[in-house]
Structure formats: C-alpha cells, structure tokens
Tab-separated table of all heavy atoms in Angstrom:
chain	number	residue	atom	x	y	z
A	259	MET	N	-5.151	-23.672	-22.718
A	259	MET	CA	-5.764	-22.433	-22.318
A	259	MET	C	-6.057	-22.457	-20.791
A	259	MET	O	-6.002	-21.390	-20.163
A	259	MET	CB	-7.075	-22.276	-23.131
A	259	MET	CG	-7.612	-20.894	-23.050
A	259	MET	SD	-6.510	-19.746	-23.918
A	259	MET	CE	-7.537	-18.349	-24.030
A	260	ARG	N	-6.358	-23.642	-20.270
A	260	ARG	CA	-6.683	-23.694	-18.826
A	260	ARG	C	-5.432	-23.324	-18.013
A	260	ARG	O	-5.543	-22.663	-16.978
A	260	ARG	CB	-7.087	-25.106	-18.521
A	260	ARG	CG	-7.472	-25.281	-17.059
A	260	ARG	CD	-8.103	-26.649	-16.833
A	260	ARG	NE	-8.543	-26.746	-15.461
A	260	ARG	CZ	-7.944	-27.540	-14.543
A	260	ARG	NH1	-6.933	-28.272	-14.898
A	260	ARG	NH2	-8.411	-27.573	-13.353
A	261	GLU	N	-4.262	-23.713	-18.453
A	261	GLU	CA	-3.045	-23.384	-17.748
A	261	GLU	C	-2.786	-21.871	-17.747
A	261	GLU	O	-2.297	-21.294	-16.775
A	261	GLU	CB	-1.846	-24.102	-18.392
A	261	GLU	CG	-1.838	-25.577	-18.071
A	261	GLU	CD	-0.574	-26.211	-18.682
A	261	GLU	OE1	0.453	-25.525	-18.749
A	261	GLU	OE2	-0.664	-27.374	-19.106
A	262	PHE	N	-3.146	-21.190	-18.836
A	262	PHE	CA	-2.985	-19.757	-18.918
A	262	PHE	C	-3.817	-19.074	-17.837
A	262	PHE	O	-3.319	-18.203	-17.113
A	262	PHE	CB	-3.382	-19.259	-20.314
A	262	PHE	CG	-3.410	-17.765	-20.407
A	262	PHE	CD1	-2.262	-17.048	-20.479
A	262	PHE	CD2	-4.630	-17.111	-20.409
A	262	PHE	CE1	-2.314	-15.663	-20.536
A	262	PHE	CE2	-4.692	-15.742	-20.504
A	262	PHE	CZ	-3.525	-15.007	-20.572
A	263	PHE	N	-5.065	-19.425	-17.751
A	263	PHE	CA	-5.930	-18.778	-16.743
A	263	PHE	C	-5.554	-19.158	-15.328
A	263	PHE	O	-5.677	-18.347	-14.411
A	263	PHE	CB	-7.408	-19.108	-17.019
A	263	PHE	CG	-7.951	-18.403	-18.198
A	263	PHE	CD1	-8.325	-19.079	-19.344
A	263	PHE	CD2	-8.086	-17.019	-18.210
A	263	PHE	CE1	-8.844	-18.428	-20.437
A	263	PHE	CE2	-8.542	-16.352	-19.284
A	263	PHE	CZ	-8.934	-17.059	-20.402
A	264	LEU	N	-5.055	-20.350	-15.141
A	264	LEU	CA	-4.560	-20.744	-13.816
A	264	LEU	C	-3.368	-19.901	-13.425
A	264	LEU	O	-3.217	-19.489	-12.275
A	264	LEU	CB	-4.203	-22.253	-13.851
A	264	LEU	CG	-3.741	-22.828	-12.513
A	264	LEU	CD1	-4.849	-22.722	-11.482
A	264	LEU	CD2	-3.320	-24.257	-12.712
A	265	ASN	N	-2.502	-19.650	-14.376
A	265	ASN	CA	-1.319	-18.846	-14.111
A	265	ASN	C	-1.689	-17.395	-13.875
A	265	ASN	O	-1.168	-16.730	-12.991
A	265	ASN	CB	-0.366	-18.913	-15.337
A	265	ASN	CG	1.006	-18.378	-15.020
A	265	ASN	OD1	1.399	-18.295	-13.866
A	265	ASN	ND2	1.717	-18.002	-16.047
A	266	VAL	N	-2.674	-16.862	-14.596
A	266	VAL	CA	-3.121	-15.500	-14.427
A	266	VAL	C	-3.769	-15.291	-13.054
A	266	VAL	O	-3.617	-14.236	-12.415
A	266	VAL	CB	-4.080	-15.061	-15.553
A	266	VAL	CG1	-4.799	-13.736	-15.254
A	266	VAL	CG2	-3.310	-14.931	-16.862
A	267	THR	N	-4.482	-16.325	-12.557
A	267	THR	CA	-5.136	-16.154	-11.264
A	267	THR	C	-4.133	-16.163	-10.117
A	267	THR	O	-4.463	-15.780	-8.978
A	267	THR	CB	-6.133	-17.311	-11.029
A	267	THR	OG1	-5.450	-18.572	-11.094
A	267	THR	CG2	-7.271	-17.262	-12.022
A	268	ARG	N	-2.927	-16.548	-10.350
A	268	ARG	CA	-1.926	-16.518	-9.291
A	268	ARG	C	-1.380	-15.127	-9.005
A	268	ARG	O	-0.969	-14.840	-7.909
A	268	ARG	CB	-0.733	-17.431	-9.658
A	268	ARG	CG	-1.095	-18.896	-9.613
A	268	ARG	CD	0.111	-19.736	-9.903
A	268	ARG	NE	-0.311	-21.131	-10.017
A	268	ARG	CZ	0.274	-22.007	-10.750
A	268	ARG	NH1	1.334	-21.660	-11.499
A	268	ARG	NH2	-0.157	-23.261	-10.788
A	269	TYR	N	-1.379	-14.293	-9.988
A	269	TYR	CA	-0.778	-12.952	-9.806
A	269	TYR	C	-1.528	-12.105	-8.782
A	269	TYR	O	-0.853	-11.449	-7.977
A	269	TYR	CB	-0.709	-12.224	-11.164
A	269	TYR	CG	0.375	-12.815	-12.033
A	269	TYR	CD1	0.026	-13.494	-13.183
A	269	TYR	CD2	1.687	-12.673	-11.719
A	269	TYR	CE1	0.993	-14.061	-13.977
A	269	TYR	CE2	2.677	-13.190	-12.495
A	269	TYR	CZ	2.326	-13.909	-13.634
A	269	TYR	OH	3.306	-14.456	-14.445
A	270	PRO	N	-2.867	-12.014	-8.737
A	270	PRO	CA	-3.466	-11.237	-7.670
A	270	PRO	C	-3.168	-11.752	-6.290
A	270	PRO	O	-2.945	-11.009	-5.351
A	270	PRO	CB	-4.991	-11.345	-7.988
A	270	PRO	CG	-5.060	-11.620	-9.433
A	270	PRO	CD	-3.837	-12.452	-9.728
A	271	ARG	N	-3.108	-13.096	-6.140
A	271	ARG	CA	-2.746	-13.641	-4.855
A	271	ARG	C	-1.306	-13.265	-4.459
A	271	ARG	O	-1.036	-12.982	-3.304
A	271	ARG	CB	-2.888	-15.181	-4.861
A	271	ARG	CG	-4.352	-15.588	-4.861
A	271	ARG	CD	-4.469	-17.074	-4.746
A	271	ARG	NE	-4.242	-17.666	-6.085
A	271	ARG	CZ	-4.128	-18.931	-6.322
A	271	ARG	NH1	-4.186	-19.821	-5.355
A	271	ARG	NH2	-3.980	-19.363	-7.559
A	272	TYR	N	-0.424	-13.251	-5.452
A	272	TYR	CA	0.958	-12.889	-5.179
A	272	TYR	C	1.009	-11.421	-4.792
A	272	TYR	O	1.721	-11.039	-3.814
A	272	TYR	CB	1.814	-13.115	-6.412
A	272	TYR	CG	3.236	-12.542	-6.282
A	272	TYR	CD1	4.161	-13.167	-5.493
A	272	TYR	CD2	3.568	-11.402	-6.947
A	272	TYR	CE1	5.431	-12.643	-5.363
A	272	TYR	CE2	4.827	-10.868	-6.815
A	272	TYR	CZ	5.764	-11.476	-6.022
A	272	TYR	OH	6.999	-10.986	-5.892
A	273	LEU	N	0.293	-10.563	-5.444
A	273	LEU	CA	0.242	-9.151	-5.126
A	273	LEU	C	-0.272	-8.896	-3.725
A	273	LEU	O	0.295	-8.107	-2.968
A	273	LEU	CB	-0.587	-8.404	-6.182
A	273	LEU	CG	-0.707	-6.881	-5.947
A	273	LEU	CD1	0.629	-6.220	-6.105
A	273	LEU	CD2	-1.698	-6.295	-6.940
A	274	ILE	N	-1.334	-9.592	-3.355
A	274	ILE	CA	-1.913	-9.434	-2.030
A	274	ILE	C	-0.929	-9.916	-0.985
A	274	ILE	O	-0.703	-9.237	0.023
A	274	ILE	CB	-3.245	-10.185	-1.938
A	274	ILE	CG1	-4.304	-9.476	-2.789
A	274	ILE	CG2	-3.731	-10.276	-0.492
A	274	ILE	CD1	-5.582	-10.272	-2.973
A	275	ALA	N	-0.297	-11.063	-1.195
A	275	ALA	CA	0.647	-11.567	-0.240
A	275	ALA	C	1.855	-10.663	-0.114
A	275	ALA	O	2.347	-10.432	1.008
A	275	ALA	CB	1.088	-13.015	-0.656
A	276	PHE	N	2.352	-10.137	-1.194
A	276	PHE	CA	3.512	-9.246	-1.186
A	276	PHE	C	3.144	-7.951	-0.421
A	276	PHE	O	3.936	-7.483	0.390
A	276	PHE	CB	3.920	-8.894	-2.598
A	276	PHE	CG	5.096	-7.954	-2.704
A	276	PHE	CD1	6.350	-8.406	-2.442
A	276	PHE	CD2	4.874	-6.641	-3.009
A	276	PHE	CE1	7.430	-7.511	-2.526
A	276	PHE	CE2	5.911	-5.743	-3.068
A	276	PHE	CZ	7.236	-6.191	-2.826
A	277	THR	N	1.976	-7.411	-0.727
A	277	THR	CA	1.516	-6.154	-0.071
A	277	THR	C	1.385	-6.382	1.461
A	277	THR	O	1.824	-5.529	2.237
A	277	THR	CB	0.239	-5.661	-0.677
A	277	THR	OG1	0.421	-5.532	-2.091
A	277	THR	CG2	-0.183	-4.345	-0.058
A	278	LEU	N	0.756	-7.460	1.821
A	278	LEU	CA	0.615	-7.730	3.271
A	278	LEU	C	1.954	-7.947	3.960
A	278	LEU	O	2.149	-7.523	5.102
A	278	LEU	CB	-0.293	-8.954	3.471
A	278	LEU	CG	-1.755	-8.750	3.159
A	278	LEU	CD1	-2.515	-10.087	3.267
A	278	LEU	CD2	-2.370	-7.708	4.052
A	279	GLY	N	2.887	-8.584	3.260
A	279	GLY	CA	4.213	-8.800	3.847
A	279	GLY	C	4.930	-7.461	4.037
A	279	GLY	O	5.611	-7.290	5.080
A	280	VAL	N	4.855	-6.599	3.085
A	280	VAL	CA	5.521	-5.291	3.226
A	280	VAL	C	4.864	-4.449	4.336
A	280	VAL	O	5.581	-3.858	5.157
A	280	VAL	CB	5.435	-4.505	1.885
A	280	VAL	CG1	5.892	-3.074	2.052
A	280	VAL	CG2	6.357	-5.162	0.849
A	281	MET	N	3.555	-4.470	4.373
A	281	MET	CA	2.848	-3.743	5.451
A	281	MET	C	3.211	-4.299	6.820
A	281	MET	O	3.398	-3.538	7.780
A	281	MET	CB	1.356	-3.760	5.202
A	281	MET	CG	0.939	-2.891	4.088
A	281	MET	SD	-0.814	-2.710	3.708
A	281	MET	CE	-1.673	-3.813	4.705
A	282	ASN	N	3.336	-5.600	6.935
A	282	ASN	CA	3.664	-6.246	8.193
A	282	ASN	C	5.087	-5.882	8.625
A	282	ASN	O	5.367	-5.575	9.807
A	282	ASN	CB	3.532	-7.743	8.101
A	282	ASN	CG	3.738	-8.438	9.425
A	282	ASN	OD1	3.417	-7.872	10.437
A	282	ASN	ND2	4.273	-9.649	9.380
A	283	SER	N	6.014	-5.872	7.678
A	283	SER	CA	7.425	-5.556	8.023
A	283	SER	C	7.572	-4.079	8.382
A	283	SER	O	8.530	-3.715	9.076
A	283	SER	CB	8.353	-5.954	6.910
A	283	SER	OG	8.085	-5.161	5.753
A	284	VAL	N	6.699	-3.241	7.893
A	284	VAL	CA	6.753	-1.802	8.220
A	284	VAL	C	6.053	-1.546	9.559
A	284	VAL	O	6.489	-0.743	10.396
A	284	VAL	CB	6.166	-0.959	7.079
A	284	VAL	CG1	5.972	0.512	7.514
A	284	VAL	CG2	7.058	-1.014	5.865
A	285	ALA	N	4.935	-2.217	9.746
A	285	ALA	CA	4.084	-1.943	10.935
A	285	ALA	C	4.666	-2.437	12.231
A	285	ALA	O	4.477	-1.821	13.283
A	285	ALA	CB	2.699	-2.513	10.723
A	286	GLN	N	5.381	-3.530	12.205
A	286	GLN	CA	5.881	-4.097	13.466
A	286	GLN	C	6.891	-3.179	14.165
A	286	GLN	O	6.744	-2.921	15.393
A	286	GLN	CB	6.521	-5.487	13.204
A	286	GLN	CG	5.507	-6.563	13.122
A	286	GLN	CD	6.162	-7.919	13.019
A	286	GLN	OE1	7.354	-8.030	12.742
A	286	GLN	NE2	5.375	-8.969	13.190
A	287	PRO	N	7.890	-2.634	13.512
A	287	PRO	CA	8.805	-1.708	14.186
A	287	PRO	C	8.103	-0.422	14.638
A	287	PRO	O	8.419	0.129	15.702
A	287	PRO	CB	9.895	-1.390	13.195
A	287	PRO	CG	9.854	-2.468	12.183
A	287	PRO	CD	8.405	-2.945	12.165
A	288	LEU	N	7.125	0.056	13.872
A	288	LEU	CA	6.404	1.263	14.241
A	288	LEU	C	5.524	1.004	15.465
A	288	LEU	O	5.364	1.887	16.304
A	288	LEU	CB	5.571	1.769	13.096
A	288	LEU	CG	6.379	2.303	11.890
A	288	LEU	CD1	5.435	2.726	10.819
A	288	LEU	CD2	7.290	3.403	12.268
A	289	ALA	N	4.956	-0.146	15.561
A	289	ALA	CA	4.101	-0.485	16.697
A	289	ALA	C	4.919	-0.517	18.017
A	289	ALA	O	4.413	-0.150	19.069
A	289	ALA	CB	3.404	-1.840	16.473
A	290	ARG	N	6.179	-0.930	17.939
A	290	ARG	CA	6.986	-0.941	19.123
A	290	ARG	C	7.376	0.427	19.591
A	290	ARG	O	7.637	0.652	20.778
A	290	ARG	CB	8.271	-1.760	18.856
A	290	ARG	CG	8.029	-3.252	18.912
A	290	ARG	CD	9.337	-3.973	18.830
A	290	ARG	NE	9.296	-4.734	17.577
A	290	ARG	CZ	10.227	-4.740	16.646
A	290	ARG	NH1	11.340	-4.042	16.856
A	290	ARG	NH2	10.126	-5.467	15.573
A	291	ARG	N	7.390	1.391	18.685
A	291	ARG	CA	7.835	2.729	19.068
A	291	ARG	C	6.702	3.691	19.405
A	291	ARG	O	6.917	4.854	19.670
A	291	ARG	CB	8.641	3.319	17.899
A	291	ARG	CG	9.953	2.653	17.709
A	291	ARG	CD	10.701	3.269	16.565
A	291	ARG	NE	11.997	2.679	16.427
A	291	ARG	CZ	12.304	1.629	15.675
A	291	ARG	NH1	11.309	1.038	15.025
A	291	ARG	NH2	13.500	1.145	15.599
A	292	ARG	N	5.472	3.243	19.328
A	292	ARG	CA	4.338	4.144	19.532
A	292	ARG	C	4.160	4.605	20.964
A	292	ARG	O	3.378	5.510	21.244
A	292	ARG	CB	3.046	3.514	19.000
A	292	ARG	CG	2.612	2.342	19.853
A	292	ARG	CD	1.320	1.786	19.358
A	292	ARG	NE	1.026	0.644	20.213
A	292	ARG	CZ	0.092	-0.212	20.012
A	292	ARG	NH1	-0.670	-0.059	18.977
A	292	ARG	NH2	-0.095	-1.203	20.829
A	293	SER	N	4.791	3.988	21.913
A	293	SER	CA	4.619	4.371	23.326
A	293	SER	C	5.262	5.751	23.642
A	293	SER	O	4.851	6.401	24.579
A	293	SER	CB	5.206	3.293	24.249
A	293	SER	OG	6.563	3.133	24.010
A	294	ASN	N	6.283	6.109	22.870
A	294	ASN	CA	6.905	7.409	23.066
A	294	ASN	C	5.985	8.477	22.459
A	294	ASN	O	5.637	8.405	21.248
A	294	ASN	CB	8.275	7.435	22.366
A	294	ASN	CG	9.044	8.717	22.613
A	294	ASN	OD1	8.550	9.620	23.266
A	294	ASN	ND2	10.283	8.711	22.173
A	295	PRO	N	5.568	9.495	23.197
A	295	PRO	CA	4.637	10.480	22.700
A	295	PRO	C	5.168	11.286	21.482
A	295	PRO	O	4.409	11.567	20.541
A	295	PRO	CB	4.394	11.449	23.868
A	295	PRO	CG	4.874	10.744	25.052
A	295	PRO	CD	5.869	9.725	24.627
A	296	VAL	N	6.442	11.574	21.492
A	296	VAL	CA	7.013	12.352	20.333
A	296	VAL	C	6.917	11.474	19.071
A	296	VAL	O	6.559	11.979	17.984
A	296	VAL	CB	8.433	12.768	20.655
A	296	VAL	CG1	9.082	13.456	19.485
A	296	VAL	CG2	8.472	13.670	21.887
A	297	THR	N	7.260	10.252	19.200
A	297	THR	CA	7.216	9.345	18.037
A	297	THR	C	5.807	9.140	17.590
A	297	THR	O	5.519	9.093	16.362
A	297	THR	CB	7.865	7.993	18.400
A	297	THR	OG1	9.155	8.233	18.935
A	297	THR	CG2	7.979	7.086	17.197
A	298	ALA	N	4.863	9.038	18.523
A	298	ALA	CA	3.466	8.870	18.138
A	298	ALA	C	2.959	10.060	17.362
A	298	ALA	O	2.234	9.892	16.362
A	298	ALA	CB	2.609	8.638	19.376
A	299	VAL	N	3.274	11.264	17.788
A	299	VAL	CA	2.875	12.437	17.075
A	299	VAL	C	3.503	12.507	15.701
A	299	VAL	O	2.860	12.840	14.676
A	299	VAL	CB	3.232	13.716	17.887
A	299	VAL	CG1	3.027	14.966	17.040
A	299	VAL	CG2	2.381	13.795	19.153
A	300	ALA	N	4.790	12.095	15.597
A	300	ALA	CA	5.458	12.105	14.284
A	300	ALA	C	4.848	11.065	13.358
A	300	ALA	O	4.672	11.343	12.154
A	300	ALA	CB	6.946	11.823	14.492
A	301	LEU	N	4.446	9.917	13.890
A	301	LEU	CA	3.855	8.890	13.040
A	301	LEU	C	2.466	9.319	12.558
A	301	LEU	O	2.102	9.100	11.405
A	301	LEU	CB	3.722	7.581	13.855
A	301	LEU	CG	5.033	6.837	14.107
A	301	LEU	CD1	4.801	5.644	14.982
A	301	LEU	CD2	5.660	6.421	12.788
A	302	ILE	N	1.684	9.951	13.427
A	302	ILE	CA	0.410	10.445	13.027
A	302	ILE	C	0.531	11.543	11.934
A	302	ILE	O	-0.207	11.550	10.948
A	302	ILE	CB	-0.408	10.963	14.244
A	302	ILE	CG1	-0.780	9.810	15.147
A	302	ILE	CG2	-1.644	11.717	13.804
A	302	ILE	CD1	-1.362	10.200	16.475
A	303	GLY	N	1.466	12.411	12.133
A	303	GLY	CA	1.740	13.443	11.117
A	303	GLY	C	2.193	12.869	9.784
A	303	GLY	O	1.759	13.300	8.722
A	304	ALA	N	3.045	11.847	9.864
A	304	ALA	CA	3.487	11.221	8.589
A	304	ALA	C	2.356	10.506	7.917
A	304	ALA	O	2.247	10.534	6.646
A	304	ALA	CB	4.617	10.230	8.914
A	305	LEU	N	1.478	9.868	8.673
A	305	LEU	CA	0.315	9.198	8.089
A	305	LEU	C	-0.626	10.201	7.424
A	305	LEU	O	-1.087	9.956	6.285
A	305	LEU	CB	-0.418	8.404	9.153
A	305	LEU	CG	-1.669	7.660	8.733
A	305	LEU	CD1	-1.246	6.539	7.797
A	305	LEU	CD2	-2.398	7.097	9.898
A	306	ILE	N	-0.921	11.268	8.087
A	306	ILE	CA	-1.802	12.278	7.541
A	306	ILE	C	-1.207	12.921	6.280
A	306	ILE	O	-1.892	13.082	5.238
A	306	ILE	CB	-2.152	13.347	8.600
A	306	ILE	CG1	-3.019	12.760	9.672
A	306	ILE	CG2	-2.842	14.559	7.967
A	306	ILE	CD1	-3.234	13.623	10.888
A	307	SER	N	0.069	13.287	6.346
A	307	SER	CA	0.717	13.882	5.138
A	307	SER	C	0.801	12.924	3.981
A	307	SER	O	0.643	13.294	2.829
A	307	SER	CB	2.081	14.457	5.504
A	307	SER	OG	2.946	13.410	5.853
A	308	GLY	N	1.024	11.652	4.281
A	308	GLY	CA	1.037	10.646	3.219
A	308	GLY	C	-0.335	10.493	2.571
A	308	GLY	O	-0.403	10.369	1.337
A	309	LEU	N	-1.387	10.457	3.356
A	309	LEU	CA	-2.711	10.385	2.812
A	309	LEU	C	-3.093	11.602	1.962
A	309	LEU	O	-3.707	11.483	0.891
A	309	LEU	CB	-3.774	10.133	3.908
A	309	LEU	CG	-3.690	8.780	4.574
A	309	LEU	CD1	-4.667	8.746	5.762
A	309	LEU	CD2	-4.032	7.678	3.579
A	310	ILE	N	-2.695	12.766	2.411
A	310	ILE	CA	-2.961	14.016	1.673
A	310	ILE	C	-2.181	13.976	0.339
A	310	ILE	O	-2.766	14.305	-0.717
A	310	ILE	CB	-2.584	15.239	2.503
A	310	ILE	CG1	-3.590	15.447	3.630
A	310	ILE	CG2	-2.571	16.506	1.631
A	310	ILE	CD1	-3.233	16.469	4.650
A	311	SER	N	-0.930	13.555	0.408
A	311	SER	CA	-0.136	13.478	-0.822
A	311	SER	C	-0.728	12.471	-1.801
A	311	SER	O	-0.824	12.745	-3.009
A	311	SER	CB	1.296	13.085	-0.481
A	311	SER	OG	1.916	14.026	0.339
A	312	LEU	N	-1.127	11.339	-1.345
A	312	LEU	CA	-1.735	10.286	-2.185
A	312	LEU	C	-3.024	10.826	-2.814
A	312	LEU	O	-3.246	10.660	-4.004
A	312	LEU	CB	-2.058	9.047	-1.388
A	312	LEU	CG	-2.649	7.893	-2.164
A	312	LEU	CD1	-1.679	7.394	-3.227
A	312	LEU	CD2	-3.033	6.791	-1.228
A	313	THR	N	-3.828	11.558	-2.037
A	313	THR	CA	-5.079	12.120	-2.568
A	313	THR	C	-4.779	13.150	-3.660
A	313	THR	O	-5.419	13.110	-4.734
A	313	THR	CB	-5.869	12.790	-1.433
A	313	THR	OG1	-6.119	11.800	-0.422
A	313	THR	CG2	-7.166	13.351	-1.926
A	314	LEU	N	-3.829	14.030	-3.425
A	314	LEU	CA	-3.519	15.038	-4.424
A	314	LEU	C	-2.936	14.428	-5.692
A	314	LEU	O	-3.273	14.888	-6.809
A	314	LEU	CB	-2.542	16.076	-3.828
A	314	LEU	CG	-3.152	16.946	-2.717
A	314	LEU	CD1	-2.065	17.831	-2.080
A	314	LEU	CD2	-4.265	17.775	-3.235
A	315	VAL	N	-2.109	13.457	-5.545
A	315	VAL	CA	-1.529	12.817	-6.734
A	315	VAL	C	-2.588	12.101	-7.544
A	315	VAL	O	-2.648	12.184	-8.781
A	315	VAL	CB	-0.359	11.821	-6.320
A	315	VAL	CG1	-0.006	10.947	-7.479
A	315	VAL	CG2	0.840	12.603	-5.830
A	316	LEU	N	-3.501	11.395	-6.841
A	316	LEU	CA	-4.523	10.682	-7.586
A	316	LEU	C	-5.530	11.652	-8.266
A	316	LEU	O	-5.963	11.424	-9.369
A	316	LEU	CB	-5.289	9.737	-6.634
A	316	LEU	CG	-4.489	8.537	-6.180
A	316	LEU	CD1	-5.306	7.730	-5.173
A	316	LEU	CD2	-4.112	7.656	-7.346
A	317	ARG	N	-5.809	12.781	-7.584
A	317	ARG	CA	-6.681	13.785	-8.200
A	317	ARG	C	-6.011	14.382	-9.449
A	317	ARG	O	-6.680	14.588	-10.504
A	317	ARG	CB	-6.982	14.903	-7.232
A	317	ARG	CG	-8.119	14.675	-6.363
A	317	ARG	CD	-8.515	15.903	-5.623
A	317	ARG	NE	-9.335	15.593	-4.472
A	317	ARG	CZ	-9.559	16.358	-3.468
A	317	ARG	NH1	-8.959	17.531	-3.407
A	317	ARG	NH2	-10.341	15.960	-2.500
A	318	ALA	N	-4.718	14.629	-9.385
A	318	ALA	CA	-4.005	15.179	-10.513
A	318	ALA	C	-3.955	14.165	-11.679
A	318	ALA	O	-3.987	14.556	-12.858
A	318	ALA	CB	-2.597	15.601	-10.114
A	319	MET	N	-3.884	12.918	-11.368
A	319	MET	CA	-3.866	11.901	-12.401
A	319	MET	C	-5.214	11.740	-13.096
A	319	MET	O	-5.282	11.450	-14.278
A	319	MET	CB	-3.426	10.549	-11.830
A	319	MET	CG	-1.993	10.530	-11.398
A	319	MET	SD	-1.567	9.018	-10.557
A	319	MET	CE	-1.659	7.829	-11.836
A	320	VAL	N	-6.297	11.974	-12.372
A	320	VAL	CA	-7.639	11.755	-12.910
A	320	VAL	C	-8.180	12.987	-13.624
A	320	VAL	O	-8.830	12.846	-14.661
A	320	VAL	CB	-8.625	11.356	-11.761
A	320	VAL	CG1	-10.023	11.307	-12.237
A	320	VAL	CG2	-8.182	10.015	-11.209
A	321	GLN	N	-7.844	14.155	-13.178
A	321	GLN	CA	-8.362	15.358	-13.813
A	321	GLN	C	-7.755	15.535	-15.208
A	321	GLN	O	-6.562	15.343	-15.414
A	321	GLN	CB	-8.024	16.598	-12.979
A	321	GLN	CG	-8.850	16.698	-11.730
A	321	GLN	CD	-8.520	17.944	-10.928
A	321	GLN	OE1	-7.544	18.614	-11.181
A	321	GLN	NE2	-9.272	18.192	-9.892
A	322	SER	N	-8.639	15.976	-16.151
A	322	SER	CA	-8.172	16.121	-17.511
A	322	SER	C	-7.638	17.538	-17.751
A	322	SER	O	-6.751	17.720	-18.596
A	322	SER	CB	-9.303	15.847	-18.486
A	322	SER	OG	-10.395	16.755	-18.248
A	323	ALA	N	-8.122	18.544	-17.021
A	323	ALA	CA	-7.698	19.926	-17.189
A	323	ALA	C	-6.626	20.232	-16.167
A	323	ALA	O	-6.680	19.796	-15.021
A	323	ALA	CB	-8.871	20.878	-17.029
A	324	PRO	N	-5.605	21.033	-16.531
A	324	PRO	CA	-4.581	21.423	-15.533
A	324	PRO	C	-5.196	22.331	-14.459
A	324	PRO	O	-6.077	23.114	-14.735
A	324	PRO	CB	-3.526	22.180	-16.379
A	324	PRO	CG	-4.125	22.414	-17.712
A	324	PRO	CD	-5.298	21.505	-17.844
A	325	VAL	N	-4.675	22.221	-13.254
A	325	VAL	CA	-5.180	22.949	-12.134
A	325	VAL	C	-4.786	24.406	-12.175
A	325	VAL	O	-5.529	25.314	-11.890
A	325	VAL	CB	-4.708	22.322	-10.800
A	325	VAL	CG1	-5.172	23.125	-9.600
A	325	VAL	CG2	-5.197	20.913	-10.694
A	326	ALA	N	-3.553	24.689	-12.531
A	326	ALA	CA	-3.031	26.083	-12.544
A	326	ALA	C	-3.412	26.787	-13.725
A	326	ALA	O	-4.002	27.213	-14.423
A	326	ALA	CB	-1.505	26.065	-12.519
C-alpha cells in the first residue's frame, strides 16, 4: 500500500513540471518579440481574450441553468 501512495504522489509533481515546461517554452519566444509595439498590442489582446474565454467557459460549466 505504501508503494501505491508513493506512486500517486508523483502525479501532481509531474503535472506541475509539465505545466511549467509548456509555459516556459511558450513564454520565451513571446518575450523576445515584445519589443515590437504591434506585437505587444497583439499579445496583450490575445491574453485578454483568452482570459475572457476561459472565464465564460468556466461559468457555463458551473451554472446549472442555461443562459439563453
């Protein structure tokens, strides 16, 4: 039983490491391109629209009654 719990505790660490790796591989190229004003505005717009989309999707998943 000890081996089972030891194995289960590895999964959150793997998830965190995987997520940080993906964020790092996405952030590095974007950080190099932020000096161009047009690219900076596009990146800010993409970030804001992504957050709005995530918020709306999560609200739709949590609400029990349909919105329309």
Side-chain angles (χ1 to χ4, degrees):
M259 194 68 167
R260 182 173 185 251
E261 288 182 32
F262 172 75
F263 287 114
L264 183 63
N265 194 21
V266 169
T267 59
R268 289 183 187 150
Y269 288 110
R271 287 186 278 172
Y272 173 74
L273 179 65
I274 291 169
F276 179 77
T277 304
L278 289 175
V280 168
M281 288 183 352
N282 186 32
S283 65
V284 169
Q286 280 185 347
L288 293 178
R290 282 188 244 130
R291 291 181 177 88
R292 69 178 177 188
S293 60
N294 186 353
V296 176
T297 307
V299 169
L301 288 175
I302 291 170
L305 179 66
I306 291 171
S307 65
L309 290 174
I310 290 172
S311 298
L312 181 65
T313 303
L314 292 174
V315 167
L316 290 176
R317 274 191 197 161
M319 291 173 69
V320 172
Q321 287 181 350
S322 59
V325 177

